[in-house]
């Protein structure tokens, strides 16, 4: 891919909303989620300079994003003191009632995801971004069977958490 | 939850757009990273300079024929410092090798190992500080027993003792943080 600045910026811009969503899925505190998204963008930017088409770009970028998230969890020692309120994600031009309902659903989904164990949270966040089992396996270094098992467990837990 | 329900969640998830988030500030992040690297290097350099200074002091005091208790105390501090520095540096080196390997991108096991190394360093710091504190107390009691200590001396020793205890508490708090993160990664 090379280090063409315009290409790098284009890729970062394209993946930016996904980074923001991933960061919100991993970090409850909105301010720290902002920081995490910035860090993801930076690491993707650095990693792209070394990208040599050894895997699909999509897989490569997601691998970096989720690696930064795991690194964040490793380093964060005050995570359990963080608040659950997060208003990181916005609505998309719908009426007031519908918007309110949608916002509540999003909050519910976000909180349920944040309460999943890490191994299930990872596969869920990737599936919510429409990655296939094979792609998720490549991103996380797992087998497809393992991914399928985790996804089944994640769906069950997500349903329980969202029903609470 | 069936496939249809999950598809709805996927739509809901992907509808979300960043609102308050500023665009990535890559230049600022690059500077921050450089600062952190400098800080790490300076830290290691500072530790080495302090150790060299203490070692030099011990040697020069020995050459000047200082009293035996003082020489023993300085010898203990020098030996304690070097052993701790070598063991901690080795652990840091192992962590750096893991980071450099590039396998961090797909291995949670490696992240867990990094945390275990970090926990080892904090626990070692707790143990080393405890040992230092015990020897310090023994030395202080000996000093004040053999020759009378003024109030100023006592205040100084008490402050030093309190600082050592606080340092131990801080190291323990950091080790617990690492253990919590480790548990979360292994869930």
């Amino acid at each position: 891919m090379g280090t063409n600045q315009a290409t790098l910026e284009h890729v970062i811009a394209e993946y930016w909303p996904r980074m923001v969503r991933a960061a919100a899925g991993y970090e409850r505190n909105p301010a720290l989620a902002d920081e995490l998204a910035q860090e993801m963008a930076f690491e993707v930017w650095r990693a792209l300079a070394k990208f040599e088409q050894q895997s699909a770009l999509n897989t490569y970028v997601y691998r970096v994003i989720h690696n930064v998230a795991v690194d964040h969890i490793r380093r964060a020692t005050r995570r359990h003191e963080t608040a659950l309120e997060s208003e990181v994600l916005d609505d998309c031009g719908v009426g007031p009632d519908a918007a309110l309902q949608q916002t509540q659903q999003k909050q519910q989904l976000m909180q349920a995801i944040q309460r999943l164990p890490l191994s299930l949270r990872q596969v869920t966040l990737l599936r919510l971004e429409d990655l296939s089992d094979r792609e998720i396996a490549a991103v996380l270094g797992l087998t497809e069977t393992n991914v399928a098992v985790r996804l089944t467990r994640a769906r069950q837990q997500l349903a329980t958490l969202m029903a609470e | 939850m069936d496939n249809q329900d999950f598809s709805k969640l996927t739509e809901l998830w992907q509808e979300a757009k960043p609102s308050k988030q500023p665009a990535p500030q890559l230049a600022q992040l690059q500077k921050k990273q450089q600062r952190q690297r400098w800080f790490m290097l300076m830290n290691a350099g500072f530790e080495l300079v302090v150790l060299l200074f203490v070692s030099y002091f011990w040697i020069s005091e020995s050459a000047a024929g200082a009293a035996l208790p003082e020489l023993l105390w300085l010898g203990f501090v020098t030996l304690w410092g070097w052993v701790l520095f070598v063991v901690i540096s080795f652990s840091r080196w192992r962590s750096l090798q893991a980071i450099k390997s590039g396998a961090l991108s797909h291995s949670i096991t490696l992240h867990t190992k990094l945390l275990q190394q970090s926990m080892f360093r904090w626990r070692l710091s707790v143990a080393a500080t405890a040992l230092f504190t015990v020897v310090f107390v023994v030395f202080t009691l000996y000093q004040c027993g053999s020759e009378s200590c003024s109030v100023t001396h006592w205040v100084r020793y008490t402050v030093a003792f309190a600082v050592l205890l606080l340092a131990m508490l801080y190291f323990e708090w950091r080790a617990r943080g690492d253990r919590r993160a480790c548990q979360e990664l292994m869930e």
Side-chain angles (χ1 to χ4, degrees), chain A residues 42, chain B residues 27 29-39:
Chain A
F42 181 62
Chain B
L29 288 162
Q30 203 168 5
K31 275 183 194 165
K32 186 180 157 190
Q33 204 202 28
Q34 277 168 352
R35 268 201 309 272
Q36 281 172 344
R37 208 172 277 178
W38 266 109
F39 183 72

Side-chain angles (χ1 to χ4, degrees), chain A residues 34 67 77 79 128 155, chain B residues 3 14 21 104 180 184:
Chain A
D34 282 0
N67 169 50
T77 52
R79 300 185 77 253
L128 287 171
R155 282 183 191 197
Chain B
N3 284 341
Q14 291 184 11
Q21 291 262 341
L104 272 180
R180 213 164 46 212
E184 186 153 348

Side-chain angles (χ1 to χ4, degrees), chain A residues 38-75:
Chain A
Q38 290 283 347
E39 215 172 307
M40 284 171 173
F42 181 62
E43 289 303 327
V44 167
W45 176 70
R46 288 208 318 162
L48 282 174
K50 295 179 208 155
F51 180 58
E52 286 169 353
Q53 321 265 352
Q54 64 273 48
S55 59
L57 177 68
N58 201 35
T59 311
Y60 187 72
V61 172
Y62 273 114
R63 193 180 292 164
V64 177
I65 289 174
H66 285 263
N67 169 50
V68 175
V70 173
D71 206 39
H72 173 77
I73 292 173
R74 180 166 64 80
R75 283 180 291 153

Side-chain angles (χ1 to χ4, degrees), chain A residues 16 21 34 38 46 63 67 74 77 79-80 88 90 92 102 117-119 125 127-130 155, chain B residues 3 6 10 13-17 19 21-25 29 33 104-105 111 115 180 184-185 187:
Chain A
W16 179 240
R21 290 196 290 260
D34 282 0
Q38 290 283 347
R46 288 208 318 162
R63 193 180 292 164
N67 169 50
R74 180 166 64 80
T77 52
R79 300 185 77 253
H80 297 271
V88 185
D90 203 8
C92 300
Q102 214 171 34
L118 182 67
S119 58
L125 286 170
R127 176 47 60 87
L128 287 171
E129 294 291 349
D130 277 338
R155 282 183 191 197
Chain B
N3 284 341
F6 199 81
T10 305
W13 178 258
Q14 291 184 11
E15 264 173 17
K17 296 268 189 288
S19 55
Q21 291 262 341
Q25 293 153 347
L29 288 162
Q33 204 202 28
L104 272 180
S105 58
H111 281 282
L115 275 171
R180 213 164 46 212
E184 186 153 348
L185 289 189
E187 270 179 344

Side-chain angles (χ1 to χ4, degrees), chain A residues 83-143:
Chain A
L84 251 174
E85 26 86 36
S86 52
E87 189 56 64
V88 185
L89 305 173
D90 203 8
D91 310 311
C92 300
V94 281
D97 289 344
L100 183 68
Q101 200 186 354
Q102 214 171 34
T103 306
Q104 282 172 345
Q105 283 176 333
K106 277 179 202 166
Q107 290 280 4
Q108 210 182 357
L109 173 62
M110 184 61 75
Q111 290 181 4
I113 287 171
Q114 286 165 342
R115 288 167 65 191
L116 285 174
L118 182 67
S119 58
L120 304 186
R121 206 185 321 165
Q122 283 184 311
V123 290
T124 308
L125 286 170
L126 289 165
R127 176 47 60 87
L128 287 171
E129 294 291 349
D130 277 338
L131 268 74
S132 66
D133 282 10
R134 180 176 291 186
E135 286 172 314
I136 297 174
V139 169
L140 299 176
L142 302 168
T143 63

Side-chain angles (χ1 to χ4, degrees), chain B residues 26-180:
Chain B
L26 301 174
Q28 273 184 25
L29 288 162
Q30 203 168 5
K31 275 183 194 165
K32 186 180 157 190
Q33 204 202 28
Q34 277 168 352
R35 268 201 309 272
Q36 281 172 344
R37 208 172 277 178
W38 266 109
F39 183 72
M40 268 176 66
L41 277 173
M42 279 176 64
N43 209 11
F46 177 72
E47 285 170 13
L48 195 62
V49 167
V50 169
L51 274 175
L52 287 172
F53 176 75
V54 173
S55 306
Y56 170 78
F57 191 58
W58 181 41
I59 292 166
S60 62
E61 286 293 294
S62 305
L68 186 65
E70 197 183 329
L71 283 182
L72 282 175
W73 168 244
L74 281 173
F76 165 74
V77 173
T78 309
L79 190 70
W80 175 89
W82 278 110
V83 169
L84 196 61
F85 181 73
V86 169
V87 176
I88 285 185
S89 295
F90 184 67
S91 169
R92 281 176 186 154
W93 177 76
R94 287 179 73 175
S95 296
L96 276 174
Q97 290 299 106
I99 291 166
K100 273 187 187 170
S101 73
L104 272 180
S105 58
H106 54 266
S107 171
I108 288 190
T109 321
L110 207 55
H111 281 282
T112 313
K113 279 186 184 159
L114 280 179
L115 275 171
Q116 283 164 349
Q117 283 295 323
S118 175
M119 257 191 286
F120 165 74
R121 290 195 291 269
W122 290 121
R123 294 258 182 254
L124 181 70
S125 300
V126 173
T129 313
L131 176 69
F132 187 93
T133 310
V134 169
V135 177
F136 173 74
V137 169
V138 170
F139 177 74
T140 308
L141 291 176
Y142 175 81
Q143 282 282 89
C144 292
S146 58
E147 47 193 271
S148 62
C149 280
S150 65
V151 179
T152 322
H153 276 106
W154 278 114
V155 170
R156 206 181 296 161
Y157 290 142
T158 310
V159 169
F161 184 69
V163 168
L164 287 168
L165 286 184
L166 281 175
M168 266 195 284
L169 282 176
Y170 173 73
F171 298 149
E172 181 57 35
W173 176 70
R174 293 299 301 259
R176 280 185 190 192
D178 281 346
R179 197 174 58 210
R180 213 164 46 212

